[in-house]
Amino acid sequence: MGMDLRCQVNNHAHRTGEMDLERLLVRRGQSFSLALQCFTPLPPNHKLAMILHLGEQLNVLDARAGSDKWWFRQQRAQNEVLLTVHSPADTPVGIYSVTLLLLSPDGHILEQTTPETFYLLFNPWCKADSVYLPDEELLEEYILNENGLLYQGSWDQISSLPWNFGQFEQDVVDICFEILNNSPAALKNPEIDTANRADPVYVSRTITAMVNANDDRGVVLGRWDGKYDDGVSPTRWTGSVAILRRWREAGAQRVRYGQCWVFSGVACTVLRCLGIPTRPVTNYSSAHDTDGNLNVDYLYDEQLESVSEGRKDMIWNYHCWVESWMDREDLPKGYDGWQALDPTPQERSDGVYCCGPCPVKAVRDGDVGMKYDAAFVFSEVNADLVTWIVYPDGQRSQVSLNQKTVGRNISTKSVYGDYREDITKHYKYPEGSVKEREVYEKAGRRITQLNGAPGQLELKIKHAQAILGTDFDVIVEVHNVGGEDTPAQLTVTSNAVTYNSLHRGEGIKTQNWCQSLSHKEVMRLRYDHYGACVSEHNLIRVTALLQASSQPDVILQEVNIPLSMPQLHVKVVGDAVVSRKLIAHISFTNPLPITLRGGMFTVEGAGLTAPRELQAPANIGPGEDVKVKLSFKPTRAGLRKLMVDFDADRLRDVKGIATLIVRDRLTVN
């Protein structure tokens, strides 16, 4: 009669019930059952065989047990046969086709079922799988949690961005396999690519290349210049699902646009969906070392204008990547566990814009020769910041050296709640420790020294909390600890910058002479100036340069000032029950002294509602309140989060969230 895939029973046992109950989704290394339904009992001397197809690969299964191969056992019961299928823990993941054959005693095919399809995923619950993670609490977070936090802001003012990973949302698993199928390796040689999908190292490296669209038919196109009119501003995304569906619906055409947190969020969704334990990570003051010398070199002239040529070294205010848990059988012992994977296109690796998997332990211990890209990740968290003044005759002077700026407060969401876990110690030994210096030498790093002895001038930059839309003061203080008046020129600049150090618009510069033992310079930053050019990251950089006229003292200090943002208020009204209507009330007050135009709310939530857009009123005046509402019906029970974003012409990345517990209809009286 046919074959029953027993989807509900199998999917619950394999922890894929949240994905689908109408299709079979199972994990490798764990048995699952099929039921063969017959019109009449099978003759006792006839045999059953099973054919599995994965691409061009063909597996013929029989009832002989063997742990390293596919096999099945059978139990006959009147007009039904229950088959228990065993898969190897190192077999390729993918979408399989299964056919059952009825064979005569001499092996001829008498009948066969219509082919059925099932999905096979990695299995971090299986000890024999190379992604095995022996901690149920970690698996609840790094495989099963569809919501999370991505950390942004600056090292001393950390903020969190709620993100809807949505790895169990409808059809996301299909899109994940389509991403793999569109990789250059799969298009060039599908048979070899299919075989390699047994290896999480291969799969995760492929995903880091395919999440960005620089080389291939990848998912997201990166852009950092603020010009997003032909796509979606990176700050508008609240989750991965809308991005993945847009990529698929456009026929594997790149989605515009993303930045580092978007790339990491999408990669986390895909890897969790495929069964690889994954968590997003944020590194504060993250170095982008373009020349591989493990220094970030900033070059200025005496007017504090950048004179770096070609590709510039940069320090990003923060940078996001992901870590995935797996064995590294391709490396010497000791490098299993968390692997850094960076899908943001920064540098090429083996000719492709991807990074990792790189053992986090290799980064901490300075083993920069380990696969993949350990030297680049090491510099992201360990590079020195060296600042130079370039004089008109071409001579340059090293004016500052900071060995503690880069790689701060490396963060991920805790498995125990919505708060930050600091994992800096996994990437580096304590700053200034003997072990840290040993690692530098092991990495082949030249220990940079600042030229000359400490001078008699000190320079500090201070500011109160800065709120977007208001004027605020920045105070630059000069102290002479030498006891004698020393004439010195103080140059101060302020610029609107992006989180990855790109300047926007015209900055402000002041230049004064100071001669007393103590000098204070106050720079007032007015919204009517910075508001027109501030980036979507709402960040102001203040740089101060102090040059003594008669002493060799040259000092440079720099601070990044995040502008505090308003929040959306989200309230959900009604009983949170599957398929029962709820109303979300969203309110917002314009905090700026200008009228906002073109406002748009974006709403989504895994198990609650697909991504939706709500138009705001055409004009929102200064201080004006805006209220919108939408109705939705939850589709799945459990702890759920509704995420909302607001963007307008002069205000972006305003977020709000509502958390609710959805009950199943069967549990409601």
Side-chain angles (χ1 to χ4, degrees), residues 304-491:
L304 269 185
E305 298 290 338
S306 174
V307 292
S308 299
E309 295 182 354
R311 298 178 67 228
K312 299 177 184 178
D313 289 353
M314 290 189 293
I315 294 180
W316 295 25
N317 228 37
Y318 63 88
H319 181 49
C320 303
W321 57 75
V322 298
E323 290 176 358
S324 291
W325 182 274
M326 65 190 73
D327 291 343
R328 289 303 299 269
E329 296 170 8
D330 57 325
L331 297 179
K333 270 192 171 183
Y335 295 103
D336 298 341
W338 288 117
Q339 313 289 318
L341 293 144
D342 190 349
T344 300
Q346 293 187 88
E347 300 291 328
R348 291 186 184 274
S349 174
D350 296 336
V352 177
Y353 277 106
C354 68
C355 180
C358 166
V360 173
K361 185 178 184 298
V363 177
R364 187 191 64 183
D365 293 342
D367 298 326
V368 295
M370 287 295 157
K371 297 189 298 185
Y372 291 88
D373 311 302
F376 184 75
V377 181
F378 183 88
S379 73
E380 285 186 300
V381 300
N382 282 304
D384 283 348
L385 171 58
V386 186
T387 307
W388 306 82
I389 294 295
V390 180
Y391 298 102
D393 61 0
Q395 295 292 315
R396 67 183 191 176
S397 171
Q398 181 182 327
V399 296
S400 75
L401 165 68
N402 198 320
Q403 296 173 321
K404 297 182 179 180
T405 292
V406 170
R408 293 174 144 181
N409 293 344
I410 303 174
S411 304
T412 190
K413 176 188 171 298
S414 169
V415 300
Y416 303 112
D418 287 345
Y419 53 88
R420 188 180 73 89
E421 178 184 350
D422 193 296
I423 57 172
T424 308
K425 65 183 179 181
H426 297 174
Y427 281 86
K428 55 201 296 188
Y429 291 99
E431 295 283 1
S433 66
V434 173
K435 189 67 177 177
E436 183 204 29
R437 287 192 291 272
E438 290 175 358
V439 166
Y440 287 167
E441 292 177 14
K442 183 178 181 181
R445 171 178 176 167
R446 174 176 58 83
I447 303 297
T448 311
Q449 301 293 336
L450 182 61
N451 300 335
Q456 64 183 37
L457 297 177
E458 292 181 349
L459 182 63
K460 294 181 180 178
I461 304 174
K462 298 179 179 180
H463 65 91
Q465 183 179 16
I467 300 173
L468 181 67
T470 65
D471 302 344
F472 61 94
D473 291 335
V474 176
I475 301 170
V476 181
E477 295 180 349
V478 178
H479 296 285
N480 187 332
V481 296
E484 296 180 7
D485 285 351
T486 304
Q489 186 179 61
L490 176 64
T491 305

Side-chain angles (χ1 to χ4, degrees), residues 69 80 113 115 146 149 172 190 203 219 225 279 295 309 312 346 407 514 521 547 555 598 623:
K69 294 181 179 179
E80 197 168 42
T113 61
E146 292 185 86
L149 297 175
V172 167
V203 170
V219 179
D225 62 3
R279 63 187 186 185
N295 286 340
E309 295 182 354
K312 299 177 184 178
Q346 293 187 88
C514 47
E521 186 85 19
Q547 302 176 87
I555 308 173

Side-chain angles (χ1 to χ4, degrees), residues 543-656:
T543 307
L545 175 69
L546 185 67
Q547 302 176 87
S549 59
S550 58
Q551 304 287 334
D553 286 4
V554 183
I555 308 173
L556 185 138
Q557 291 287 349
E558 191 167 78
V559 297
N560 293 315
I561 304 174
L563 303 173
S564 295
M565 294 284 291
Q567 286 190 324
L568 300 176
H569 298 284
V570 185
K571 183 178 181 180
V572 177
V573 178
D575 291 331
V577 178
V578 170
S579 298
R580 188 173 293 178
K581 183 178 176 181
L582 294 172
I583 304 291
H585 296 267
I586 304 163
S587 59
F588 162 71
T589 303
N590 177 9
L592 303 184
I594 60 171
T595 298
L596 298 176
R597 294 178 174 84
M600 181 75 73
F601 293 93
T602 305
V603 184
E604 71 172 300
L608 294 176
T609 179
R612 296 161 66 178
E613 291 185 341
L614 299 172
Q615 193 80 42
N619 297 306
I620 306 172
E624 184 178 339
D625 293 329
V626 175
K627 295 181 180 180
V628 297
K629 63 181 180 179
L630 82 156
S631 62
F632 62 95
K633 294 180 180 179
T635 56
R636 289 183 282 135
L639 183 71
R640 302 291 168 193
K641 295 189 178 185
L642 187 71
M643 299 177 187
V644 187
D645 168 83
F646 174 79
D647 277 281
D649 59 339
R650 295 284 293 274
L651 183 64
R652 293 177 174 173
D653 200 20
V654 184
K655 306 294 185 187

